[in-house]
Amino acid sequence: MLDKLEKIGNRYEELCAKSEQPDFYADPKKAAALLREKNDLETIVTAYRAYRRAEAEMADAQELMAEPEMKELCQESYAAAKAEKERLAREIELLLLPKDPNDDKSVIVEIRGGVGGEESALFAHSLFRMYSMYAARKGWTVELMNYNDTELGGVKEADFVINGRGAYSRMKYESGVHRVQRVPETESGGRVHTSTATVAVLPEMEEVDVELNPADIEMQVYRASGAGGQHVNKTSSAVRLIHKPTGIVVACQEERSQVQNREKCMRMLASKLYEIEQEKLSSQVTGMRRSQVGTGMRNERIRTYNFPQGRVTDHRVGLTLYRIDDVMNGDLDEIINALATADQAEKLKNARG
């Protein structure tokens, strides 16, 4: 591990020297890539330098212990430096774990009503609101792509982009079936109903990241429906793209212009095709979205939102919080932090063999 850290340190110094050269920004794309690499290495280098300082402090304290009048004081310094060195060793081990190359990307989120009829659509709307509020807390922006609502204010399906650096690193844990237990607004008898909604999270890909052959794409245009202003039902601004080789269908009707809607569709299509390529690379039987969402049945849940008891339980890590209002208002960090920690622990276990 120390050899690897020395190499990382040398590479970091090399990148620092390059970034100070007058012609560094002559190629903006290359410069941006090198700066990203430099920033990624900086955290590891900082931790490693602190590790070496702790190591030196241990050696100094041990040397001074030979003097009787300094022994007690140096024992305390030695113990403190040793504890810091051990803490930093654990931190560095985590930092050296392979990073998901998509972690810094924005995400495309798909929410669908599942089991439970109109109540599942209302819950899907609650999830859309929750993620929108979480994005606002993180300083990210939400860009609506496709939104199909119901007469009672629910959502049959909602597709949207959360734009922000690192959005995928946090949002990827939200993929799966979400279950709600509450008294529906449409229930007159006060009975608690159980419904589900499904969430799929994909890293947003640009067209340049995925090979798209225009001949493989069929474009259909139609009139937008639902809330949207004067253009609704007057112009064929909504766009549907069909990728003929795979049968993937994406649609967008939230923009006023056909060109803008097509651009959004192409981003969605690129992300879905990337998903298929990842499936091939990892030799999975089912694709990312199917593994995330399943069939939408109640027993495939990853999280339960129980309104009568005011609790939210994430079944993957066994975490239960009794502050459902905060969670539904976008306070998701405690849950996501627990999932990220569990993910790191599993990766660390695998790395150690």
Side-chain angles (χ1 to χ4, degrees):
M1 185 177 80
L2 294 178
D3 287 343
K4 186 175 183 178
L5 288 166
E6 287 293 342
K7 289 178 182 177
I8 289 173
N10 292 337
R11 176 60 177 165
Y12 176 74
E13 293 297 337
E14 180 187 336
L15 291 170
C16 287
K18 281 185 177 181
S19 67
E20 293 171 2
Q21 296 300 314
D23 61 344
F24 180 72
Y25 292 98
D27 184 342
K29 191 173 180 181
K30 183 180 178 182
L34 291 175
L35 285 174
R36 278 196 301 270
E37 184 185 357
K38 175 177 171 285
N39 291 336
D40 288 341
L41 296 181
E42 188 169 7
T43 306
I44 300 174
V45 171
T46 300
Y48 179 51
R49 287 173 177 172
Y51 176 89
R52 296 302 298 267
R53 284 196 299 272
E55 211 172 35
E57 287 169 12
M58 284 176 65
D60 291 343
Q62 197 164 28
E63 188 177 335
L64 290 170
M65 277 186 209
E67 301 177 26
E69 65 276 12
M70 298 288 289
K71 186 174 182 180
E72 187 175 342
L73 178 62
C74 289
Q75 279 177 334
E76 291 179 6
S77 299
Y78 179 85
K82 184 182 179 184
E84 178 67 357
K85 179 186 171 184
E86 290 171 351
R87 183 191 70 78
L88 287 164
R90 291 192 296 270
E91 181 181 327
I92 290 167
E93 198 172 14
L94 289 174
L95 289 171
L96 288 176
L97 288 173
K99 187 180 177 183
D100 187 330
N102 296 317
D103 272 353
D104 287 338
K105 292 185 180 291
S106 297
V107 296
I108 291 178
V109 184
E110 301 175 342
I111 301 176
R112 302 287 183 269
V115 174
E118 183 61 36
E119 170 60 9
S120 73
L122 291 168
F123 178 50
H125 175 268
S126 297
L127 292 177
F128 172 69
R129 176 181 177 274
M130 178 180 78
Y131 292 132
S132 298
M133 294 182 78
Y134 181 62
R137 285 171 178 260
K138 307 300 282 187
W140 302 332
T141 59
V142 174
E143 181 184 354
L144 200 57
M145 304 184 85
N146 188 41
Y147 192 86
N148 187 353
D149 56 4
T150 67
E151 291 182 1
L152 296 179
V155 175
K156 292 178 182 176
E157 55 184 38
D159 301 330
F160 54 100
V161 180
I162 295 181
N163 293 298
R165 183 175 172 83
Y168 185 70
S169 70
R170 306 291 290 171
M171 287 296 297
K172 62 185 176 183
Y173 301 109
E174 293 304 296
S175 294
V177 176
H178 296 244
R179 182 176 75 163
V180 64
Q181 294 172 325
R182 65 183 177 186
V183 178
E185 296 174 21
T186 54
E187 170 61 54
S188 58
R191 293 176 299 171
V192 174
H193 287 224
T194 298
S195 304
T196 65
T198 62
V199 176
V201 179
L202 305 174
E204 187 189 19
M205 295 292 156
E206 299 295 333
E207 291 179 50
V208 294
D209 297 326
V210 179
E211 189 176 339
L212 286 173
N213 184 350
D216 291 337
I217 301 170
E218 178 186 337
M219 176 174 157
Q220 299 176 350
V221 295
Y222 57 100
R223 292 182 179 180
S225 60
Q230 295 298 315
H231 71 296
V232 172
N233 292 328
K234 290 188 177 181
T235 60
S236 296
S237 59
V239 172
R240 182 185 296 113
L241 296 183
I242 302 169
H243 188 251
K244 290 180 279 190
T246 61
I248 291 173
V249 179
V250 293
C252 183
Q253 62 175 12
E254 297 306 315
E255 299 295 337
R256 288 181 176 271
S257 90
Q258 191 181 107
V259 172
Q260 289 174 311
N261 282 324
R262 184 185 182 280
E263 286 176 357
K264 286 189 173 185
C265 278
M266 290 296 284
R267 286 157 59 193
M268 291 176 70
L269 182 57
S271 295
K272 286 176 176 286
L273 290 174
Y274 172 82
E275 168 194 359
I276 290 174
E277 288 304 310
Q278 289 301 104
E279 173 192 349
K280 291 177 183 176
L281 288 173
S282 58
S283 301
Q284 294 174 343
V285 177
T286 55
M288 185 191 300
R289 190 181 189 283
R290 189 177 300 173
S291 66
Q292 291 173 355
V293 172
T295 60
M297 296 304 290
R298 296 184 181 93
N299 61 355
E300 295 175 321
R301 65 191 183 278
I302 61 166
R303 190 178 300 152
T304 295
Y305 305 75
N306 187 301
F307 279 80
Q309 297 178 20
R311 63 175 167 82
V312 178
T313 299
D314 194 288
H315 305 288
R316 294 164 292 180
V317 288
L319 175 67
T320 296
L321 303 178
Y322 286 90
R323 47 187 192 86
I324 195 167
D325 289 341
D326 292 339
V327 171
M328 299 310 296
N329 286 328
D331 188 0
L332 293 171
D333 273 336
E334 187 173 354
I335 296 173
I336 291 175
N337 288 343
L339 290 162
T341 300
D343 187 30
Q344 284 183 332
E346 183 64 26
K347 287 177 181 175
L348 196 56
K349 180 181 174 183
N350 294 335
R352 290 170 174 170

